[in-house]
Amino acid sequence: MLNKFQTLYRHIIEEERKIPEATGQLSDLLGDIALACKVISLEVNRAGLIDILGMTGTQNVQGEEVKKLDDYANTLLTRIMRLGGHTCAICSEEEESFVPIDEKYCDFSHKYIVHFDPLDGSSNIDANISIGTIFSIYRRVSTKGPGTIEDCLQTGLKQVAAGYVVYGSSTIMVYTAGKGVHGFTLDPSVGEFLLSYGNMTIPKKSKTYSTNEGNYSKWSEGVKKYIDYLKSKDSKTDRPYSSRYVGSLVADFHRNLLYGGIFLYPADEKNKNGKLRLMYEANPLAMIVEQAGGRASSGTKRILEIAPESLHQRTPLIIGSEEDVLMAEKFIKDN
Ligand code: P6P
């Protein structure tokens, strides 16, 4: 439901005015990301009509087949970030290393770093299942010139803003700049993101869990016992929970943010550190969920406190309603 007719840009500017030392560059950067995602939304929504589906015949650093929309989204975001002049380095799931930005494009201070997953869940593209863009913004730690690896490897607590765009039945952008979580729905007729969810909060406890149970046999005893607990009957604690799993992180996360839920992609025998990426999946969603009153953990550690060692580092991810995540952590700790 619309709280009031407010565009994303107007909301960002109003939030910025509350910060005396704000220079407007973060607002510009968020606006640049929103612009890129509007264009990506156009391509995602008409992908079925033009020959952009299918493979590019190349693989990304993850060894995954790159679908053309992945490539398109990555190129577009990188280009808009570079031309926007507010970043000194860009880190993408599709790029093996970070992309340093020199200052010849304009005289802004290039004071931010952006990590992004340009099109998460892209294996679902051909099946017309919701997919998404996830982004994470840090202030640089170096003082001038192109960004460095130290700029790119900061703990999640240092994020100044984070967000995602889910391309589904409608295109919705959710972001936080550290003062609450806000959601905007794209009105394609005017090309504006309009405020649709102001100050989002996630229910403290839920009745929904979201995980790929096909991995059950590979999980630790603690995770197995937690999922068994959720599935057993006990009316006093609202069990059994319902299972909802899209297989697209942004779609699963967004549903849980709205209605409550716990998402788990734990470590397993095959993925010793889990499957999902710390810098451009876990950290941004962890900032959002904590701002919304939820919790994000590796099972044993707060996601935002994990000290990154590499750009594509993986982490187990248990994220969502606070009481549910605490319960999952207890099962893992006790077993
Ligand atoms: P699985 C999609 O490929 C993705 O990276 C996330 O969006 C999603 O949560 C996860 O992988 C799904 O993985 O192993 O359940 O197919």
Side-chain angles (χ1 to χ4, degrees):
M1 69 291 177
L2 286 180
N3 300 315
K4 57 181 178 179
F5 186 87
Q6 187 172 48
T7 64
L8 170 64
Y9 196 69
R10 173 74 181 267
H11 187 276
I12 292 170
I13 294 296
E14 285 186 1
E15 290 298 305
E16 176 203 323
R17 287 194 188 116
K18 296 172 187 171
I19 306 168
E21 68 275 13
T23 62
Q25 291 195 50
L26 179 60
S27 299
D28 281 354
L29 177 51
L30 285 166
D32 290 346
I33 291 171
L35 170 63
C37 291
K38 286 181 197 174
V39 178
I40 293 168
S41 175
L42 270 177
E43 293 306 319
V44 166
N45 289 327
R46 68 180 178 195
L49 303 174
I50 56 178
D51 181 31
I52 198 166
L53 284 181
M55 317 304 269
T56 59
T58 60
Q59 287 198 344
N60 63 16
V61 292
Q62 332 295 339
E64 295 162 346
E65 282 299 323
V66 177
K67 290 189 178 284
K68 288 180 180 175
L69 274 174
D70 265 351
D71 209 11
Y72 177 86
N74 184 52
T75 304
L76 182 69
L77 273 159
T78 302
R79 185 172 297 147
I80 289 186
M81 292 297 97
R82 186 189 294 280
L83 294 176
H86 297 296
T87 54
C88 63
I90 300 165
C91 309
S92 168
E93 184 196 32
E94 301 295 336
E95 305 288 349
E96 188 154 359
S97 182
F98 68 96
V99 179
I101 308 272
D102 53 36
E103 295 166 337
K104 69 182 180 195
Y105 285 101
C106 68
D107 59 0
F108 286 126
S109 64
H110 293 254
K111 70 182 188 182
Y112 296 108
I113 306 292
V114 182
H115 289 260
F116 51 75
D117 186 349
L119 211 54
D120 177 75
S122 53
S123 53
N124 294 305
I125 292 174
D126 294 347
N128 200 31
I129 292 169
S130 298
I131 52 183
T133 298
I134 311 172
F135 62 89
S136 168
I137 302 173
Y138 295 80
R139 209 170 273 106
R140 69 185 301 169
V141 292
S142 59
T143 52
K144 63 184 185 320
T148 65
I149 190 63
E150 289 73 28
D151 288 319
C152 301
L153 291 180
Q154 301 179 53
T155 62
L157 280 174
K158 298 286 190 185
Q159 292 174 102
V160 293
Y164 61 86
V165 176
V166 52
Y167 309 104
S169 49
S170 58
T171 295
I172 294 179
M173 179 165 171
V174 173
Y175 91 98
T176 181
K179 298 215 181 303
V181 178
H182 314 286
F184 300 80
T185 302
L186 181 63
D187 178 341
S189 64
V190 294
E192 285 285 2
F193 278 108
L194 302 181
L195 182 68
S196 45
Y197 300 93
N199 290 308
M200 300 175 81
T201 55
I202 185 170
K204 287 294 181 187
K205 189 174 179 311
S206 77
K207 292 183 62 178
T208 303
Y209 73 100
S210 185
T211 192
N212 181 347
E213 292 202 58
N215 296 325
Y216 183 93
S217 62
K218 297 180 282 186
W219 287 339
S220 69
E221 277 313 300
V223 174
K224 286 179 181 175
K225 287 184 175 172
Y226 175 61
I227 298 298
D228 293 343
Y229 167 80
L230 294 183
K231 293 164 76 172
S232 53
K233 190 171 177 164
D234 176 32
S235 54
K236 291 196 301 299
T237 52
D238 271 339
R239 287 179 290 140
Y241 277 29
S242 296
S243 171
R244 294 284 183 277
Y245 190 67
V246 177
S248 183
L249 176 59
V250 174
D252 282 316
F253 178 83
H254 186 65
R255 179 202 56 246
N256 291 345
L257 179 63
L258 288 177
Y259 307 131
I262 180 169
F263 173 93
L264 306 96
Y265 210 108
D268 62 42
E269 288 165 3
K270 180 182 160 220
N271 298 301
K272 297 290 186 199
N273 294 312
K275 173 182 183 183
L276 301 176
R277 309 293 177 165
L278 175 64
M279 299 310 290
Y280 41 78
E281 290 174 331
N283 269 335
L285 298 186
M287 181 180 185
I288 291 170
V289 85
E290 290 199 2
Q291 282 284 319
R295 186 177 176 87
S297 164
S298 66
T300 55
K301 189 163 188 174
R302 183 186 180 196
I303 290 291
L304 293 180
E305 292 179 350
I306 296 175
E309 293 168 8
S310 64
L311 291 178
H312 301 291
Q313 176 173 333
R314 298 177 192 268
T315 177
L317 179 62
I318 302 176
I319 188 169
S321 295
E322 184 180 35
E323 290 180 27
D324 292 317
V325 175
L326 284 167
M327 179 66 80
E329 289 173 309
K330 183 176 184 328
F331 270 85
I332 291 168
K333 181 171 175 289
D334 294 352
N335 293 279

Short mmCIF file of all heavy atoms in Angstrom, two decimals, residues 149-203:
data_model
loop_
_atom_site.label_atom_id
_atom_site.label_comp_id
_atom_site.label_asym_id
_atom_site.label_seq_id
_atom_site.Cartn_x
_atom_site.Cartn_y
_atom_site.Cartn_z
N ILE A 149 42.31 -2.81 -2.73
CA ILE A 149 41.65 -4.01 -2.19
C ILE A 149 41.25 -3.77 -0.74
O ILE A 149 40.21 -4.27 -0.29
CB ILE A 149 42.57 -5.25 -2.33
CG1 ILE A 149 41.82 -6.54 -1.99
CG2 ILE A 149 43.83 -5.11 -1.49
CD1 ILE A 149 40.65 -6.88 -2.90
N GLU A 150 42.00 -2.94 -0.02
CA GLU A 150 41.63 -2.63 1.38
C GLU A 150 40.29 -1.86 1.41
O GLU A 150 39.47 -2.05 2.31
CB GLU A 150 42.71 -1.78 2.06
CG GLU A 150 44.01 -2.51 2.37
CD GLU A 150 44.82 -2.77 1.11
OE1 GLU A 150 44.69 -1.98 0.14
OE2 GLU A 150 45.55 -3.81 1.08
N ASP A 151 40.08 -1.01 0.41
CA ASP A 151 38.78 -0.32 0.33
C ASP A 151 37.64 -1.32 0.17
O ASP A 151 36.54 -1.13 0.68
CB ASP A 151 38.76 0.62 -0.90
CG ASP A 151 39.62 1.85 -0.73
OD1 ASP A 151 39.60 2.43 0.37
OD2 ASP A 151 40.32 2.23 -1.68
N CYS A 152 37.96 -2.42 -0.58
CA CYS A 152 36.89 -3.37 -0.96
C CYS A 152 36.62 -4.44 0.08
O CYS A 152 35.57 -5.06 0.08
CB CYS A 152 37.25 -4.04 -2.29
SG CYS A 152 37.47 -2.86 -3.63
N LEU A 153 37.61 -4.67 0.97
CA LEU A 153 37.44 -5.74 1.97
C LEU A 153 37.22 -5.16 3.36
O LEU A 153 38.09 -5.20 4.22
CB LEU A 153 38.67 -6.67 1.95
CG LEU A 153 38.82 -7.53 0.69
CD1 LEU A 153 40.07 -8.39 0.80
CD2 LEU A 153 37.58 -8.42 0.49
N GLN A 154 36.03 -4.58 3.57
CA GLN A 154 35.68 -4.04 4.89
C GLN A 154 34.57 -4.90 5.49
O GLN A 154 33.77 -5.50 4.75
CB GLN A 154 35.22 -2.58 4.76
CG GLN A 154 36.25 -1.64 4.15
CD GLN A 154 35.72 -0.21 4.03
OE1 GLN A 154 35.25 0.37 5.01
NE2 GLN A 154 35.77 0.34 2.82
N THR A 155 34.47 -4.95 6.81
CA THR A 155 33.39 -5.75 7.42
C THR A 155 32.04 -5.10 7.11
O THR A 155 31.93 -3.89 6.89
CB THR A 155 33.53 -5.81 8.96
OG1 THR A 155 33.42 -4.48 9.47
CG2 THR A 155 34.81 -6.47 9.38
N GLY A 156 31.02 -5.95 7.16
CA GLY A 156 29.67 -5.49 6.81
C GLY A 156 29.17 -4.34 7.69
O GLY A 156 28.35 -3.53 7.28
N LEU A 157 29.70 -4.26 8.92
CA LEU A 157 29.29 -3.17 9.81
C LEU A 157 29.64 -1.80 9.23
O LEU A 157 29.04 -0.79 9.58
CB LEU A 157 29.97 -3.33 11.18
CG LEU A 157 29.35 -4.33 12.14
CD1 LEU A 157 30.24 -4.47 13.38
CD2 LEU A 157 27.94 -3.89 12.55
N LYS A 158 30.61 -1.76 8.31
CA LYS A 158 31.04 -0.48 7.75
C LYS A 158 30.17 -0.04 6.57
O LYS A 158 30.38 1.04 6.02
CB LYS A 158 32.50 -0.62 7.25
CG LYS A 158 33.50 -0.94 8.33
CD LYS A 158 33.78 0.28 9.20
CE LYS A 158 34.96 0.02 10.12
NZ LYS A 158 35.18 1.15 11.06
N GLN A 159 29.22 -0.84 6.17
CA GLN A 159 28.35 -0.42 5.06
C GLN A 159 27.63 0.88 5.40
O GLN A 159 27.15 1.03 6.53
CB GLN A 159 27.30 -1.50 4.76
CG GLN A 159 27.86 -2.78 4.18
CD GLN A 159 26.78 -3.84 4.05
OE1 GLN A 159 26.26 -4.08 2.95
NE2 GLN A 159 26.44 -4.47 5.15
N VAL A 160 27.57 1.80 4.42
CA VAL A 160 26.81 3.04 4.61
C VAL A 160 25.40 2.90 4.02
O VAL A 160 24.49 3.62 4.39
CB VAL A 160 27.50 4.26 3.97
CG1 VAL A 160 28.80 4.56 4.70
CG2 VAL A 160 27.75 4.08 2.50
N ALA A 161 25.24 1.96 3.10
CA ALA A 161 23.91 1.72 2.52
C ALA A 161 23.92 0.33 1.87
O ALA A 161 24.98 -0.20 1.53
CB ALA A 161 23.56 2.78 1.48
N ALA A 162 22.72 -0.23 1.73
CA ALA A 162 22.59 -1.55 1.09
C ALA A 162 21.17 -1.67 0.56
O ALA A 162 20.25 -1.00 1.05
CB ALA A 162 22.89 -2.66 2.10
N GLY A 163 21.00 -2.51 -0.43
CA GLY A 163 19.65 -2.68 -0.96
C GLY A 163 19.57 -3.78 -2.00
O GLY A 163 20.57 -4.42 -2.32
N TYR A 164 18.36 -4.00 -2.47
CA TYR A 164 18.15 -4.95 -3.56
C TYR A 164 16.98 -4.49 -4.40
O TYR A 164 16.14 -3.69 -3.96
CB TYR A 164 17.90 -6.38 -3.02
CG TYR A 164 16.68 -6.53 -2.15
CD1 TYR A 164 15.41 -6.77 -2.68
CD2 TYR A 164 16.79 -6.43 -0.76
CE1 TYR A 164 14.30 -6.90 -1.88
CE2 TYR A 164 15.68 -6.55 0.06
CZ TYR A 164 14.44 -6.79 -0.50
OH TYR A 164 13.33 -6.91 0.31
N VAL A 165 16.93 -5.02 -5.60
CA VAL A 165 15.77 -4.82 -6.48
C VAL A 165 15.28 -6.21 -6.87
O VAL A 165 16.07 -7.06 -7.29
CB VAL A 165 16.14 -4.02 -7.74
CG1 VAL A 165 14.93 -3.90 -8.68
CG2 VAL A 165 16.63 -2.62 -7.36
N VAL A 166 14.02 -6.47 -6.65
CA VAL A 166 13.45 -7.76 -7.05
C VAL A 166 12.60 -7.55 -8.29
O VAL A 166 11.73 -6.67 -8.33
CB VAL A 166 12.66 -8.44 -5.89
CG1 VAL A 166 11.62 -7.54 -5.28
CG2 VAL A 166 12.07 -9.77 -6.33
N TYR A 167 12.96 -8.29 -9.36
CA TYR A 167 12.23 -8.20 -10.64
C TYR A 167 11.21 -9.35 -10.64
O TYR A 167 11.54 -10.48 -10.97
CB TYR A 167 13.21 -8.32 -11.80
CG TYR A 167 14.39 -7.39 -11.71
CD1 TYR A 167 15.65 -7.87 -11.33
CD2 TYR A 167 14.26 -6.03 -11.97
CE1 TYR A 167 16.74 -7.02 -11.22
CE2 TYR A 167 15.35 -5.17 -11.87
CZ TYR A 167 16.58 -5.67 -11.48
OH TYR A 167 17.67 -4.82 -11.37
N GLY A 168 10.00 -9.01 -10.23
CA GLY A 168 8.96 -10.05 -10.15
C GLY A 168 7.70 -9.57 -10.82
O GLY A 168 7.76 -8.89 -11.85
N SER A 169 6.56 -9.89 -10.22
CA SER A 169 5.28 -9.42 -10.82
C SER A 169 5.30 -7.90 -10.89
O SER A 169 4.67 -7.29 -11.74
CB SER A 169 4.11 -9.91 -9.97
OG SER A 169 4.34 -9.61 -8.60
N SER A 170 6.03 -7.28 -9.98
CA SER A 170 6.38 -5.85 -10.15
C SER A 170 7.84 -5.72 -9.76
O SER A 170 8.45 -6.66 -9.24
CB SER A 170 5.50 -4.95 -9.27
OG SER A 170 5.66 -5.33 -7.92
N THR A 171 8.42 -4.58 -10.09
CA THR A 171 9.82 -4.33 -9.75
C THR A 171 9.86 -3.48 -8.49
O THR A 171 9.29 -2.39 -8.47
CB THR A 171 10.54 -3.63 -10.91
OG1 THR A 171 10.58 -4.53 -12.03
CG2 THR A 171 11.98 -3.27 -10.54
N ILE A 172 10.48 -4.02 -7.45
CA ILE A 172 10.50 -3.34 -6.15
C ILE A 172 11.93 -3.14 -5.70
O ILE A 172 12.75 -4.07 -5.79
CB ILE A 172 9.71 -4.16 -5.10
CG1 ILE A 172 8.23 -4.20 -5.47
CG2 ILE A 172 9.90 -3.58 -3.69
CD1 ILE A 172 7.35 -5.00 -4.54
N MET A 173 12.25 -1.92 -5.29
CA MET A 173 13.57 -1.62 -4.75
C MET A 173 13.45 -1.38 -3.25
O MET A 173 12.59 -0.61 -2.81
CB MET A 173 14.16 -0.37 -5.41
CG MET A 173 15.54 0.03 -4.87
SD MET A 173 16.36 1.22 -5.95
CE MET A 173 17.76 1.68 -4.95
N VAL A 174 14.28 -2.08 -2.49
CA VAL A 174 14.30 -1.93 -1.03
C VAL A 174 15.71 -1.48 -0.65
O VAL A 174 16.69 -2.05 -1.13
CB VAL A 174 13.96 -3.26 -0.34
CG1 VAL A 174 14.16 -3.16 1.17
CG2 VAL A 174 12.52 -3.69 -0.67
N TYR A 175 15.81 -0.43 0.16
CA TYR A 175 17.16 0.03 0.54
C TYR A 175 17.15 0.52 1.97
O TYR A 175 16.11 0.84 2.57
CB TYR A 175 17.65 1.13 -0.40
CG TYR A 175 17.31 2.54 0.05
CD1 TYR A 175 18.24 3.33 0.73
CD2 TYR A 175 16.06 3.08 -0.20
CE1 TYR A 175 17.94 4.62 1.15
CE2 TYR A 175 15.75 4.37 0.22
CZ TYR A 175 16.68 5.14 0.90
OH TYR A 175 16.37 6.41 1.32
N THR A 176 18.34 0.57 2.56
CA THR A 176 18.57 1.24 3.83
C THR A 176 19.85 2.05 3.73
O THR A 176 20.80 1.62 3.05
CB THR A 176 18.65 0.26 5.01
OG1 THR A 176 18.84 1.01 6.23
CG2 THR A 176 19.81 -0.72 4.86
N ALA A 177 19.84 3.22 4.37
CA ALA A 177 21.08 4.01 4.48
C ALA A 177 21.40 4.16 5.97
O ALA A 177 21.99 5.14 6.42
CB ALA A 177 20.92 5.36 3.80
N GLY A 178 20.92 3.17 6.73
CA GLY A 178 21.19 3.17 8.17
C GLY A 178 20.11 3.81 9.01
O GLY A 178 20.21 3.89 10.23
N LYS A 179 19.04 4.28 8.33
CA LYS A 179 17.94 4.88 9.10
C LYS A 179 16.62 4.26 8.65
O LYS A 179 15.76 4.90 8.04
CB LYS A 179 17.92 6.40 8.86
CG LYS A 179 19.19 7.12 9.31
CD LYS A 179 18.85 8.48 9.85
CE LYS A 179 20.08 9.24 10.30
NZ LYS A 179 20.84 8.48 11.33
N GLY A 180 16.51 2.95 8.90
CA GLY A 180 15.29 2.23 8.53
C GLY A 180 15.36 1.66 7.13
O GLY A 180 16.28 1.95 6.36
N VAL A 181 14.37 0.82 6.83
CA VAL A 181 14.32 0.12 5.54
C VAL A 181 13.08 0.60 4.79
O VAL A 181 11.98 0.70 5.39
CB VAL A 181 14.22 -1.41 5.77
CG1 VAL A 181 14.10 -2.15 4.44
CG2 VAL A 181 15.46 -1.90 6.54
N HIS A 182 13.27 0.91 3.51
CA HIS A 182 12.17 1.52 2.76
C HIS A 182 12.02 0.83 1.41
O HIS A 182 13.03 0.52 0.75
CB HIS A 182 12.46 3.01 2.57
CG HIS A 182 12.91 3.69 3.83
ND1 HIS A 182 12.06 3.99 4.87
CD2 HIS A 182 14.15 4.04 4.25
CE1 HIS A 182 12.76 4.53 5.85
NE2 HIS A 182 14.02 4.58 5.51
N GLY A 183 10.79 0.59 1.00
CA GLY A 183 10.52 -0.12 -0.25
C GLY A 183 9.77 0.73 -1.24
O GLY A 183 8.88 1.50 -0.85
N PHE A 184 10.15 0.58 -2.52
CA PHE A 184 9.57 1.40 -3.58
C PHE A 184 9.18 0.50 -4.75
O PHE A 184 9.95 -0.38 -5.14
CB PHE A 184 10.60 2.44 -4.06
CG PHE A 184 11.04 3.37 -2.97
CD1 PHE A 184 11.99 2.98 -2.05
CD2 PHE A 184 10.47 4.63 -2.84
CE1 PHE A 184 12.39 3.82 -1.02
CE2 PHE A 184 10.86 5.48 -1.81
CZ PHE A 184 11.81 5.08 -0.90
N THR A 185 8.01 0.75 -5.30
CA THR A 185 7.52 -0.04 -6.43
C THR A 185 7.64 0.77 -7.72
O THR A 185 7.26 1.95 -7.74
CB THR A 185 6.06 -0.45 -6.20
OG1 THR A 185 5.97 -1.20 -4.97
CG2 THR A 185 5.53 -1.30 -7.35
N LEU A 186 8.22 0.16 -8.74
CA LEU A 186 8.41 0.88 -10.01
C LEU A 186 7.08 1.01 -10.74
O LEU A 186 6.39 0.02 -10.97
CB LEU A 186 9.41 0.12 -10.89
CG LEU A 186 9.74 0.75 -12.24
CD1 LEU A 186 10.41 2.11 -12.07
CD2 LEU A 186 10.64 -0.19 -13.06
N ASP A 187 6.76 2.28 -11.08
CA ASP A 187 5.59 2.53 -11.94
C ASP A 187 6.14 2.70 -13.36
O ASP A 187 6.69 3.76 -13.69
CB ASP A 187 4.88 3.81 -11.49
CG ASP A 187 3.68 4.12 -12.40
OD1 ASP A 187 3.66 3.57 -13.53
OD2 ASP A 187 2.80 4.89 -11.98
N PRO A 188 6.06 1.66 -14.17
CA PRO A 188 6.71 1.72 -15.50
C PRO A 188 6.11 2.80 -16.40
O PRO A 188 6.79 3.30 -17.30
CB PRO A 188 6.49 0.32 -16.08
CG PRO A 188 5.43 -0.32 -15.25
CD PRO A 188 5.37 0.37 -13.94
N SER A 189 4.88 3.22 -16.08
CA SER A 189 4.27 4.23 -16.98
C SER A 189 4.96 5.58 -16.84
O SER A 189 4.99 6.38 -17.76
CB SER A 189 2.77 4.37 -16.64
OG SER A 189 2.63 4.88 -15.32
N VAL A 190 5.54 5.85 -15.65
CA VAL A 190 6.26 7.13 -15.48
C VAL A 190 7.74 6.89 -15.22
O VAL A 190 8.52 7.85 -15.14
CB VAL A 190 5.66 7.97 -14.32
CG1 VAL A 190 4.26 8.42 -14.66
CG2 VAL A 190 5.67 7.21 -13.01
N GLY A 191 8.12 5.60 -15.06
CA GLY A 191 9.55 5.30 -14.86
C GLY A 191 10.06 5.75 -13.51
O GLY A 191 11.23 6.08 -13.36
N GLU A 192 9.17 5.80 -12.53
CA GLU A 192 9.58 6.22 -11.18
C GLU A 192 9.35 5.11 -10.17
O GLU A 192 8.34 4.39 -10.22
CB GLU A 192 8.74 7.44 -10.73
CG GLU A 192 9.11 8.75 -11.39
CD GLU A 192 10.42 9.33 -10.85
OE1 GLU A 192 11.07 8.69 -9.97
OE2 GLU A 192 10.82 10.40 -11.32
N PHE A 193 10.29 4.99 -9.22
CA PHE A 193 10.06 4.12 -8.06
C PHE A 193 9.25 4.93 -7.05
O PHE A 193 9.69 6.00 -6.61
CB PHE A 193 11.40 3.71 -7.42
CG PHE A 193 12.09 2.56 -8.09
CD1 PHE A 193 13.24 2.78 -8.84
CD2 PHE A 193 11.60 1.27 -7.95
CE1 PHE A 193 13.91 1.72 -9.45
CE2 PHE A 193 12.27 0.18 -8.55
CZ PHE A 193 13.41 0.42 -9.31
N LEU A 194 8.07 4.45 -6.70
CA LEU A 194 7.19 5.17 -5.75
C LEU A 194 7.16 4.44 -4.42
O LEU A 194 7.08 3.21 -4.37
CB LEU A 194 5.77 5.26 -6.32
CG LEU A 194 5.65 5.97 -7.69
CD1 LEU A 194 4.18 6.02 -8.12
CD2 LEU A 194 6.24 7.37 -7.62
N LEU A 195 7.20 5.22 -3.34
CA LEU A 195 7.21 4.64 -1.98
C LEU A 195 6.00 3.74 -1.77
O LEU A 195 4.86 4.16 -1.94
CB LEU A 195 7.21 5.76 -0.93
CG LEU A 195 7.28 5.31 0.53
CD1 LEU A 195 8.65 4.70 0.84
CD2 LEU A 195 7.01 6.50 1.47
N SER A 196 6.27 2.49 -1.45
CA SER A 196 5.16 1.54 -1.21
C SER A 196 5.26 0.87 0.15
O SER A 196 4.29 0.36 0.68
CB SER A 196 5.14 0.48 -2.32
OG SER A 196 6.46 0.00 -2.58
N TYR A 197 6.47 0.86 0.72
CA TYR A 197 6.63 0.27 2.06
C TYR A 197 7.57 1.18 2.86
O TYR A 197 8.79 1.11 2.73
CB TYR A 197 7.27 -1.12 1.99
CG TYR A 197 6.49 -2.14 1.18
CD1 TYR A 197 6.76 -2.33 -0.17
CD2 TYR A 197 5.47 -2.89 1.77
CE1 TYR A 197 6.06 -3.26 -0.92
CE2 TYR A 197 4.75 -3.83 1.01
CZ TYR A 197 5.06 -4.00 -0.33
OH TYR A 197 4.36 -4.92 -1.07
N GLY A 198 7.01 2.06 3.68
CA GLY A 198 7.86 2.96 4.48
C GLY A 198 8.26 2.28 5.79
O GLY A 198 7.47 1.55 6.39
N ASN A 199 9.51 2.46 6.21
CA ASN A 199 9.98 1.92 7.51
C ASN A 199 9.57 0.46 7.72
O ASN A 199 8.79 0.13 8.62
CB ASN A 199 9.45 2.78 8.65
CG ASN A 199 10.13 4.16 8.65
OD1 ASN A 199 11.38 4.21 8.62
ND2 ASN A 199 9.35 5.22 8.62
N MET A 200 10.09 -0.41 6.89
CA MET A 200 9.73 -1.83 6.94
C MET A 200 10.32 -2.50 8.18
O MET A 200 11.46 -2.22 8.56
CB MET A 200 10.27 -2.54 5.68
CG MET A 200 9.72 -1.96 4.39
SD MET A 200 10.48 -2.72 2.93
CE MET A 200 9.54 -4.23 2.80
N THR A 201 9.53 -3.34 8.82
CA THR A 201 10.06 -4.14 9.95
C THR A 201 9.66 -5.60 9.70
O THR A 201 8.60 -5.88 9.17
CB THR A 201 9.46 -3.67 11.29
OG1 THR A 201 8.03 -3.71 11.20
CG2 THR A 201 9.94 -2.26 11.62
N ILE A 202 10.54 -6.50 10.13
CA ILE A 202 10.26 -7.94 9.96
C ILE A 202 9.69 -8.49 11.26
O ILE A 202 10.19 -8.18 12.34
CB ILE A 202 11.56 -8.69 9.55
CG1 ILE A 202 11.25 -10.16 9.25
CG2 ILE A 202 12.66 -8.55 10.59
CD1 ILE A 202 12.42 -10.91 8.60
N PRO A 203 8.61 -9.26 11.20
CA PRO A 203 8.04 -9.85 12.42
C PRO A 203 9.10 -10.61 13.22
O PRO A 203 9.97 -11.29 12.65
CB PRO A 203 6.97 -10.80 11.88
CG PRO A 203 6.56 -10.20 10.56
CD PRO A 203 7.83 -9.62 10.00
#
